[in-house]
Amino acid sequence: MMDTLTEFHFLRAAYLLFLIPIAGLWWASRPKRSGQTNLPSGVAPHLAAALLLGAEEKRRIYPIDVAMFATALVAIAAAGPTWSRAQNPLVADTAPLVIVLKVTDSMENPDLAPSRLERAKFKITDIINARAGARTALIAYAGSPHRVAPLTEDANILRPLLEGLTPAVMPKQGDAAGDALTLAQSILDESETPGAVLFVLDDLDPSQLAEFQNSTTQVFFLTMLPNGSEIVQLNNLQNAVVVPFTNDDRDIARLQRQIQTAYVDALDDDDRLDWQDRGWMLAWPAALLSLLWFRRGWVIRWIILGLFLLQPAGPASAEGWRDWFLAPDQQGQIAMNQKRYADAAELFEEPYHEGYARLKAGQYPEAAAIFAELNTPEAAFSEGMARIRNREYRPAIAAFQEALGRRPNWPEAQHNLEVARAILDYVETTREQSDTGEEAGIGADDTVFDNDSGRGENTTIQAQTGDTKPLSADQWISAIDTDMQDFLRNRFLLENQEQIQ
């Protein structure tokens, strides 16, 4: 409460000057009580006073009081009272989060069945699902830290990469938690909104504590230990929030609350973000007070309403009466906040916002077509996301390459480019294996067509083998081996060699 009072101010304080003429008009228009009463002549004063009906005005509240109070509320609302920052919902629905997973032999301990590492993966999956629509990055570390995935809203990218993390893919054994924190901070520095770091681990080398003590980033720890055991080294970290593992969802719910609280606090200190206008909250009491004008004997003037009614009718592009108060893009943003993405896509007029809404609604071809018409790196990146979700891997690769051309050394685009190429390689390898009969059970006397010369093209395979039928496009994709261990192992080895050099 004290923080709210400290941050309270008006965005457009000049509108408060309207309170002066409002007060003057109220004083001039409000009925004044008369100090004298005309008593009938020829009657004793005490009897004349008893005969008068309504000689003393008992009314305490006049229509002008309600009207001026409602007008004052409107003036204060127009001044824009605020006490908190407003995040950009097109960048993140909630706090950006970097999840740092310890991938060492100790995490293979089966005291949390089937192992600490597997249970950690389950917890991370639950966190990702609970943060639907929010950006999450993933880092794995042992003796060296490695970025598994940059900040992304697509859980379908994170899940297979998470499953591929085992101690066998890590190029170096050890505990480089401090370096992992530095890498996590560099990822958050690329974000437009403040975020947090979540470490999922079972132990922490005391030599790594110095990096955490000097950190200005909010750090959370999910300890993967049984029976309420704790990591004593974490007790010395004042700015850290430690959440112990639980067999139910209590640890996930607590982390969600803590992360969101830290996010709201960080927004107030971020000068890059706009203040959130809270004036709309005063519109409701002003509207309720205006209903009193319909009481019998109260005077109401319909000038303002008449101005609305006399306006020429135009085409309704949004939601009826909302057009009076909100622009289509504002209505679209409200629908986005309510996760009504299909409705938001129909309301938005700004192309990028419309494309983003269609991407979230699963309308991938339509979203890709919109992004393709825009000339920004964000549009090319989003087009790649739409293409890859629509299983158009070659166009997705081209889109990510275009994004890198418009913004060189963009880590998110570079990562997604590598993922798209890896998936395409799996698709084509599986298709070639099927072409040669390795997986379709084609006999020696059957006819097949070699697809090496047309790799990457749409090809129909014809094989007369009893019940064997050509595979559809969806069946091609479902037949792909999604185990990412080889991909991660090779990438981590290359990164480790580059760090050594």
Side-chain angles (χ1 to χ4, degrees), residues 34 145 192 212 217 254 325 367 369 397 399:
S34 176
E192 297 182 10
F212 289 89
T217 303
R254 181 180 172 187
F325 307 100
I397 291 173

Side-chain angles (χ1 to χ4, degrees), residues 308-418:
F308 278 115
L309 296 178
L310 292 176
Q311 287 181 347
S317 59
E319 298 184 14
W321 63 269
R322 290 177 180 265
D323 294 344
W324 292 4
F325 307 100
L326 299 173
D329 285 340
Q330 292 174 316
Q331 298 178 46
Q333 190 57 65
I334 292 174
M336 284 288 292
N337 295 341
Q338 297 174 349
K339 301 188 184 301
R340 296 186 290 111
Y341 302 121
D343 294 338
E346 298 299 327
L347 291 168
F348 274 127
E349 292 183 346
E350 201 281 324
Y352 182 81
H353 292 185
E354 179 187 351
Y356 183 86
R358 295 192 182 279
L359 176 62
K360 298 287 287 185
Q363 302 173 9
Y364 303 132
E366 295 83 354
I370 293 175
F371 290 132
E373 299 295 326
L374 305 178
N375 296 320
T376 64
E378 291 80 9
F381 181 89
S382 299
E383 180 188 354
M385 294 297 298
R387 299 285 188 190
I388 201 170
R389 293 185 187 183
N390 202 41
R391 298 174 178 176
E392 303 176 43
Y393 301 115
R394 286 188 177 277
I397 291 173
F400 290 130
Q401 289 175 335
E402 181 66 24
L404 287 170
R406 297 174 182 176
R407 182 184 294 176
N409 301 321
W410 191 1
E412 289 84 354
Q414 183 62 47
H415 172 79
N416 285 0
L417 177 61
E418 295 174 2

Side-chain angles (χ1 to χ4, degrees), residues 207-436:
S207 63
Q208 304 294 313
L209 289 175
E211 193 72 30
F212 289 89
Q213 292 170 343
N214 298 328
S215 173
T216 58
T217 303
Q218 180 66 61
V219 182
F220 301 87
F221 293 91
L222 177 59
T223 57
M224 302 304 300
L225 295 173
N227 303 324
S229 302
E230 62 179 16
I231 302 175
V232 295
Q233 298 93 310
L234 299 180
N235 296 334
N236 298 325
L237 297 178
Q238 297 181 356
N239 296 328
V241 177
V242 181
V243 178
F245 166 84
T246 62
N247 288 317
D248 52 21
D249 293 335
R250 288 178 298 167
D251 49 359
I252 303 300
R254 181 180 172 187
L255 280 171
Q256 282 287 90
R257 292 193 301 268
Q258 295 282 356
I259 292 171
Q260 192 62 24
T261 299
Y263 178 50
V264 174
D265 293 340
L267 285 178
D268 293 340
D269 298 328
D270 192 345
D271 294 335
R272 298 174 301 174
L273 302 177
D274 295 330
W275 288 96
Q276 189 171 9
D277 192 340
R278 303 282 186 170
W280 61 270
M281 300 174 66
L282 299 177
W284 293 108
L288 292 175
L289 288 174
S290 66
L291 295 178
L292 296 176
W293 290 349
F294 291 89
R295 286 168 51 91
R296 175 180 292 183
W298 287 46
V299 179
I300 179 172
R301 298 185 182 276
W302 298 91
I303 298 177
I304 298 179
L305 182 59
L307 293 177
F308 278 115
L309 296 178
L310 292 176
Q311 287 181 347
S317 59
E319 298 184 14
W321 63 269
R322 290 177 180 265
D323 294 344
W324 292 4
F325 307 100
L326 299 173
D329 285 340
Q330 292 174 316
Q331 298 178 46
Q333 190 57 65
I334 292 174
M336 284 288 292
N337 295 341
Q338 297 174 349
K339 301 188 184 301
R340 296 186 290 111
Y341 302 121
D343 294 338
E346 298 299 327
L347 291 168
F348 274 127
E349 292 183 346
E350 201 281 324
Y352 182 81
H353 292 185
E354 179 187 351
Y356 183 86
R358 295 192 182 279
L359 176 62
K360 298 287 287 185
Q363 302 173 9
Y364 303 132
E366 295 83 354
I370 293 175
F371 290 132
E373 299 295 326
L374 305 178
N375 296 320
T376 64
E378 291 80 9
F381 181 89
S382 299
E383 180 188 354
M385 294 297 298
R387 299 285 188 190
I388 201 170
R389 293 185 187 183
N390 202 41
R391 298 174 178 176
E392 303 176 43
Y393 301 115
R394 286 188 177 277
I397 291 173
F400 290 130
Q401 289 175 335
E402 181 66 24
L404 287 170
R406 297 174 182 176
R407 182 184 294 176
N409 301 321
W410 191 1
E412 289 84 354
Q414 183 62 47
H415 172 79
N416 285 0
L417 177 61
E418 295 174 2
V419 171
R421 285 173 172 169
I423 295 176
L424 180 63
D425 184 66
Y426 274 115
V427 172
E428 294 176 338
T429 300
T430 304
R431 183 175 292 180
E432 290 170 0
Q433 290 174 350
S434 181
D435 289 350
T436 57

Side-chain angles (χ1 to χ4, degrees), residues 12-268:
R12 300 172 293 273
Y15 281 90
L16 295 176
L17 295 176
F18 282 101
L19 294 175
I20 298 175
I22 290 173
L25 182 62
W26 170 79
W27 179 257
S29 303
R30 194 175 193 274
K32 306 296 189 299
R33 288 189 179 184
S34 176
Q36 297 179 350
T37 302
N38 296 324
L39 299 177
S41 59
V43 181
H46 65 284
L47 295 177
L51 294 175
L52 290 177
L53 297 178
E56 293 185 7
E57 180 61 67
K58 301 295 184 182
R59 179 179 291 181
R60 299 292 182 87
I61 300 178
Y62 293 89
I64 190 63
D65 298 336
V66 178
M68 292 299 103
F69 186 68
T71 307
L73 289 177
V74 173
I76 296 174
T82 183
W83 54 85
S84 62
R85 299 276 184 177
Q87 69 270 28
N88 182 356
L90 291 176
V91 175
D93 294 331
T94 55
L97 179 66
V98 180
I99 301 177
V100 184
L101 175 62
K102 184 181 181 183
V103 186
T104 61
D105 292 335
S106 67
M107 291 288 286
E108 296 285 351
N109 194 319
D111 53 2
L112 293 179
S115 70
R116 295 178 180 177
L117 183 58
E118 290 303 316
R119 294 299 289 271
K121 291 179 181 179
F122 295 152
K123 290 294 183 181
I124 293 175
T125 301
D126 291 341
I127 293 173
I128 294 172
N129 293 335
R131 289 169 46 80
R135 296 186 300 163
T136 306
L138 181 62
I139 292 175
Y141 78 95
S144 58
H146 300 275
R147 174 161 47 185
V148 180
L151 288 172
T152 178
E153 299 176 3
D154 191 356
N156 295 325
I157 291 179
L158 295 174
R159 292 191 188 103
L161 295 171
L162 179 64
E163 289 299 320
L165 291 176
T166 65
V169 307
M170 305 305 294
K172 183 179 179 181
Q173 296 302 311
D175 186 345
D179 294 337
L181 177 61
T182 301
L183 178 58
Q185 289 173 329
S186 67
I187 293 176
L188 290 177
D189 289 342
E190 301 168 0
S191 173
E192 297 182 10
T193 51
V197 180
L198 170 62
F199 274 80
V200 184
L201 73 178
D202 61 348
D203 196 9
L204 181 65
D205 192 324
S207 63
Q208 304 294 313
L209 289 175
E211 193 72 30
F212 289 89
Q213 292 170 343
N214 298 328
S215 173
T216 58
T217 303
Q218 180 66 61
V219 182
F220 301 87
F221 293 91
L222 177 59
T223 57
M224 302 304 300
L225 295 173
N227 303 324
S229 302
E230 62 179 16
I231 302 175
V232 295
Q233 298 93 310
L234 299 180
N235 296 334
N236 298 325
L237 297 178
Q238 297 181 356
N239 296 328
V241 177
V242 181
V243 178
F245 166 84
T246 62
N247 288 317
D248 52 21
D249 293 335
R250 288 178 298 167
D251 49 359
I252 303 300
R254 181 180 172 187
L255 280 171
Q256 282 287 90
R257 292 193 301 268
Q258 295 282 356
I259 292 171
Q260 192 62 24
T261 299
Y263 178 50
V264 174
D265 293 340
L267 285 178
D268 293 340

